[in-house]
Amino acid sequence: MRWLVTGAGGMLGHDVVDTLRRRGADVVALDRARLDVTRADEVAAAFAEHRPGLVVNCAAYTAVDDAETDEERARTVNAEGPRLLARACAAHAARLVHVSTDYVFSGHARTTPYPEDLPPAPRTAYGRTKLAGERAVLAGLPEASAIVRTAWLYGVHGRNFVGTMLDLEARRDTVDVVDDQRGQPTWSGDVAGRIADLGPRIGPGLHGVFHATNSGEATWCDLAREVFGAVGADRARVRPTTSAAFTRPAPRPAYSALGHGRWREAGLPPPRDWRAALHEALPLIIRKQSEKEPRRETP
């Protein structure tokens, strides 16, 4: 079976490709320069050339704040792109894993993880466009697709919160970090592993929505302090603050933890705790940063 990964130049796409290749899979990796998922002709040409049996769509418009004033463009990428991919998969008898987000939920008035079957209620343009993409996939490929929602992603490739905290630890005496938003820090490498495990299992007996985040909960301040502590820095240098100190065009969810109930249906254990994932990922992230600008030894 040949896998085709769209958005392969991004953080998660890169990890999906690496994970599959380590497992010996036949993988075609297409970044945006090689495949614009919003163009029907390019999608058709990619399927005709590569004939994939399983597609992983990591292509997305992820600029949450920009989407508030550019919702049409966000919808083109996040909804029309998945619709075209689902249509092509249906025509070629291929399966589709589509990556989505916690932003399909409101993120307010909740203190327990969102289950996979809870009706979404997005509060942002980004969340609305991602939900439209989910619905397009489920409608166009109902028994041969999986929606994989994730959140709070960090990884080796690309800019992310963990990398930023490592950089700030080396440059500043103190850092103020929001402590009133709660979610699940999630290593993109773990999500890639989940996608690789789930993809071949998709079929009439197993499809629909799955949540791929690391287990447990934390605030952004908790995560920053864990990063500081892991590299031997004083955790107290991370000072808690509120969301009001960082006003943004798109409201951030106060609570966005996701439930993992459906993984047992796939014969897979629930995702591991976020701290365990972080401590495995950190040496890789630090090593990657040191290739650009050496600052510290890998712990």
Side-chain angles (χ1 to χ4, degrees), residues 86-289:
R87 185 175 70 182
C89 284
H92 290 264
R95 287 168 279 184
L96 174 62
V97 177
H98 173 63
V99 178
S100 192
T101 174
D102 60 313
Y103 274 78
V104 300
F105 296 115
S106 71
H108 288 271
R110 193 172 182 89
T111 57
T112 57
Y114 289 91
E116 293 91 340
D117 60 355
L118 189 74
R123 298 176 64 240
T124 64
Y126 170 67
R128 289 191 293 271
T129 64
K130 291 297 288 183
L131 178 58
E134 288 188 10
R135 289 173 171 168
V137 168
L138 294 174
L141 205 65
E143 293 191 339
S145 65
I147 306 300
V148 173
R149 293 177 183 147
T150 191
W152 288 37
L153 276 185
Y154 64 87
V156 174
H157 307 281
R159 297 179 60 186
N160 59 82
F161 181 84
V162 169
T164 298
M165 289 302 106
L166 287 168
D167 183 68
L168 292 178
E169 186 280 320
R171 296 176 182 273
R172 296 187 185 176
D173 292 334
T174 61
V175 181
D176 294 338
V177 180
V178 168
D179 199 35
D180 59 0
Q181 298 173 21
R182 179 168 290 274
Q184 295 159 315
T186 298
W187 182 22
S188 56
D190 276 10
V191 179
R194 285 279 148 165
I195 289 171
D197 289 336
L198 178 63
R201 292 171 163 83
I202 297 171
L206 187 73
H207 50 83
V209 178
F210 296 81
H211 289 165
T213 50
N214 284 121
S215 296
E217 297 179 12
T219 67
W220 291 111
C221 185
D222 294 333
L223 174 55
R225 286 176 169 171
E226 194 72 19
V227 171
F228 272 49
V231 298
D234 183 359
R235 295 169 183 251
R237 290 170 55 198
V238 179
R239 305 185 305 188
T241 189
T242 66
S243 300
F246 297 95
T247 56
R248 294 179 174 181
R252 268 37 180 188
Y255 184 86
S256 61
L258 302 179
H260 303 126
R262 292 208 64 206
W263 289 111
R264 62 176 62 94
E265 296 178 37
L268 298 168
R272 61 176 166 170
D273 184 77
W274 69 269
R275 293 176 184 85
L278 177 67
H279 284 270
E280 183 176 337
L282 272 173
L284 304 176
I285 298 171
I286 293 170
R287 188 176 301 119
K288 186 69 173 181
Q289 288 190 339

Side-chain angles (χ1 to χ4, degrees), residues 1 3 5 12 15-25 27 54-56 58 95 97 99 146 148 188-202 206 212 263 266 268:
M1 179 177 61
W3 296 67
V5 180
L12 179 57
D15 280 351
V16 170
V17 172
D18 286 350
T19 297
L20 291 171
R21 285 178 174 164
R22 283 198 303 270
R23 297 185 182 194
V27 185
L54 210 158
V55 176
V56 181
C58 296
R95 287 168 279 184
V97 177
V99 178
V148 173
S188 56
D190 276 10
V191 179
R194 285 279 148 165
I195 289 171
D197 289 336
L198 178 63
R201 292 171 163 83
I202 297 171
L206 187 73
W263 289 111
L268 298 168

